[in-house]
Amino acid sequence: MNRTFAEGAVILAPRGRDGVVARSMLVEAGLSARAVPDVPALVAALRGGAGFAIVTEEAFRGADLHGLVAFLKDQADWSDFPFILLTQRGGGLERNPDAVRFLETLGNVTFLERPFHPTTLISLAQSARRARLRQYEARRRLEEIREGREGLRLALAAGGLGAWAIDVPGATLRTDARSKAHFGRAEADAMSYDDLLAAIHSDDRPRMQAAVQDSLDSGADYDVEYRCLWPDGSLHWVQINGQVERNAAGAIARVVGVSRDITERRRREARQSALLSLGDGLRQMTDAADMSFLAARVLGETLGVSRAGYGVIDPLRETILVERDWNMPGIASIAGTLSFRDHGSYIDDLKRGAVVAIADARTDPRTAATASALEAISARAFINMPIVDDGEFVALLFLNHAHPRDWPADELAFVRDVADRTQAAIERRRAEAELAELAQTLERKVEERTRERDRTWQNSQDLLAVVGADGRFIAVNPAWTAVLGWQPHEVIGRDHVTFSHDEDQSGSDDALVRAQVGTLRHYENRVRHKDGGYRWFSWVASPEGDKVYASGRDITAEKEARDQLDAAQEQLRQAQKMEAVGQLTGGIAHDFNNLLTAISGSLELMQIRIAQGRSGDVTRYVEAAQQASKRAAALTHRLLAFSRRQTLDPRPTDINRLIASLDELLRRSVGPTIELEMVGAGGLWTTLIDPNQLENALLNLCINARDAMPKGGRITIETANKWLDRKSAEERDLPAGQYVSLCVTDTGEGMDAETIARAFDPFFTTKPMGEGTGLGLSMIYGFVRQSGGQVRIYSELGQGTTMCLYFPRVHEQADAVAVETSREVVRPVTSGETVLVVDDEAAVRMLVAEVLDEMGLKTIEASDGPAGLAILDSSARVDLLITDVGLPKGMNGRQLADAARIKRPDLKILFITGYAENAVVGNGHLDPGMHILTKPFAMDALGGESAS
């Protein structure tokens, strides 16, 4: 152990501001202090040297105290390290078992309840510091004696602090300054053996003299504890240890030894004994008045005061009613009603919840004017400790003393401890009485409920049953007879599946097994009626011990009604499907009739003008026909998107980057009256989508949002990473997992529930006639679903709309730019080479052949897969295969291409298709040397693809 004479405090208060506040108080009082974070750091600080420790109760609770116990065990004989333990309100020994453990563990510990007055903490800290300094002084003296005189070393080794010696001839007493101090004398004061005897309490003097005489007679060690009266009248305890020293002749020459002031220890022991006695007494009592009087007697006798008691407070009248008080012999009782104002102004402090401790009524400003009234009731010094219940000042614990008296912090803590224990015991007895009354009430209720349960058992229309561990009925209610025709004796003792339908018996066994280990919340089966028919029942059951208690409700009528409802709903769904198909085909027919009229009309006029020789007008009709064809192509593209059959080019995409690239286009599209805000999530995940389709979808959503805000407003485009658990995913009709969300929110008119329900229907639009096709949202829905995602609408009338698109996350690097792959390594087709064209539509074959002929390429035509494969299996030269994906006669375009690659592995292939077949193009990923062109296509696009 470090031998530094440390005087400062070590503070362990890891929670809240207790540590900071305590350190600040000590520093202001001129004491050094430092804080540590935990118990190991506390032990390290104590081993390094410290005067005392201040620790909060919660810092020790649950902590490993082995290191601290080891430190205390390692202390030298002279050391009794002092602790100040800050407890919570009501944290006394009776109500806080941990406090007893701490007392046993720490030994020299003083409990201080929070909240406390700063002066209380400072007083305790100074006392602890003085005690530690006395221990250091004892160590110094021990070391001096050990190094000097061997006899004095033996005496000090006995464990004393002050040194003394008595020469046997003449009974001459010699003492050092510390030993004199133990008897209240200054170093300069004379102190003879007669003075020593006079200072010893008269009740203890004979025992002390007998111990001295025994030591002189037998030569035994001298060890005695007794009380001594100091010149100021105060009572103290000392421990005296000594050994005899003999002269050369073997006769006893003197007795040498040490003295120790054990006042605080004896007080602690007395208080601990008093607390144990209080606890024993309180456990034997039930009356609150008797318990209060016991506490008053324990306080009075332990602290040696003139009077102690409890009183009931009337805070409005500022009076106290004392029914019974404990008084020292010769002190009169003050039972009755007393007014606080007749005895000073301290009632104001009590109302604030403060403890009032007055050492001398004559000198305290709160009582100086009324000191005579207080002295008349033997209360020149007193403690008033308020008792608070539910925040109200309801009672008072008081201690009175006829003479001036200090009230040290440890005594105040002891008084509080007794008050708390007593209050807790009273409350516990009150609670026990209430509990006993409650138990009687519950017993009556149990009897009533038992009768009610019996009535329920008899009157219930549901089947009630008790089933044993072997699966046989133990008891059934009369409903079995009323509902199923079975008498109880026909059911009891039989296996539970006896009455179940043959098809339900296995399920009934499983249901019983589940009910035996937990609550069965729902099970349906058919139960046989005595007439041979069956009725449907819905069962619930729960176990208790080795039995299962079950209740079955007859749902036969409900079951039939539910079946009828299911049939009606299925018919309704079929009708809705037919209505949707009719609406879809009607819309397609209407739009295509318009487009076909424009195309056929333009072709007829071209024919007429050519016949008339007026070729100048032909260009205008050609442009009209081409424009109608492009509109038809756009319509089919939207239909394919709605049906989720369009050709996609999915790529790992950073949606934030894509949105940023569209900023200018989107702002121009929504116009200057719309505020456009983009909120991109940081660290946004990558998703596998067709960037072009997402651009179209986002533009479409922004235009719809613009149209919903004719007077202007704000559009917010926001992205986020979403991790959908099973419940959240089911709400969005998606598998659980990680998704990227893209939401477009407007401050427009919003949608009602009916509009939201129909928003994705084909050709449904809320825009005026001629301003919308009704395929925009259905196209977005088809694209997102085809990409493995989902679309959700969140809207209220007048509150705006949010459209959220969810796309699955992929763990791939997003493409920085769109790059056409595999084309750079394929040699282009050149003039004079041969192209095999396979398509079941003769007009398409004709047009393709014409375009290829214009390019100087030879063509071979086939109308189906087998015909094309026959050509490829021949020795005919084929440099490029152009094939439709959907072909008749059992072989599609991809199968034809794969078969061709077996014999011609370097064959270049171009697919032309009206929609994407995933089984053909492999979810958008083609092998090297393969390309795809979507119908309808421009002839120059066909030429470009063929040449490349």
Side-chain angles (χ1 to χ4, degrees), residues 573-629:
R573 282 193 292 270
Q574 291 298 328
Q576 289 174 335
K577 288 180 181 178
M578 295 306 297
E579 180 183 358
V581 171
Q583 182 183 20
L584 178 60
T585 56
I588 294 172
H590 173 270
D591 284 2
F592 265 97
N593 280 335
N594 289 339
L595 298 172
L596 290 173
T597 298
I599 295 170
S600 63
S602 296
L603 292 174
E604 288 179 13
L605 287 175
M606 287 167 59
Q607 187 178 27
I608 293 171
R609 292 295 183 264
I610 292 172
Q612 292 173 349
R614 296 167 57 185
S615 59
D617 295 333
V618 171
T619 301
R620 182 159 58 95
Y621 301 136
V622 171
E623 292 176 352
Q626 289 178 334
Q627 186 65 31
S629 298

Side-chain angles (χ1 to χ4, degrees), residues 428-442:
R428 185 166 56 251
R429 290 292 180 269
R430 185 182 298 121
E432 289 171 352
E434 293 173 353
L435 185 61
E437 183 179 355
L438 177 61
Q440 295 177 355
T441 303
L442 288 176

Side-chain angles (χ1 to χ4, degrees), residues 45 70 155 197 219 301 361 364 395 502 510 523 560 565 577 594 610 614 653 727 786 802 834 867 871 889 920:
L197 293 176
E301 292 176 349
D364 194 290
D502 291 345
D510 293 341
Y523 171 68
E560 294 172 352
L565 178 61
K577 288 180 181 178
N594 289 339
I610 292 172
R614 296 167 57 185
T653 302
K727 180 179 179 182
Q786 189 175 353
T802 296
T834 302
I871 296 172
K889 297 187 178 181
V920 175

Side-chain angles (χ1 to χ4, degrees), residues 233-287:
S234 59
L235 186 67
H236 295 260
W237 279 87
V238 292
Q239 178 182 1
I240 307 298
N241 298 91
Q243 293 180 334
V244 297
E245 286 189 356
R246 300 179 183 274
N247 56 24
I252 297 177
R254 60 177 179 167
V255 181
V256 296
V258 293
S259 63
R260 179 195 295 269
D261 187 333
I262 59 170
T263 304
E264 292 301 321
R265 193 197 76 194
R266 293 302 295 254
R267 286 177 180 173
R268 286 198 304 271
E269 291 172 352
R271 292 169 193 166
Q272 186 174 1
S273 176
L275 290 176
L276 294 175
S277 175
L278 175 68
D280 292 340
L282 292 176
R283 279 189 288 273
Q284 305 300 320
M285 297 179 176
T286 58
D287 183 71

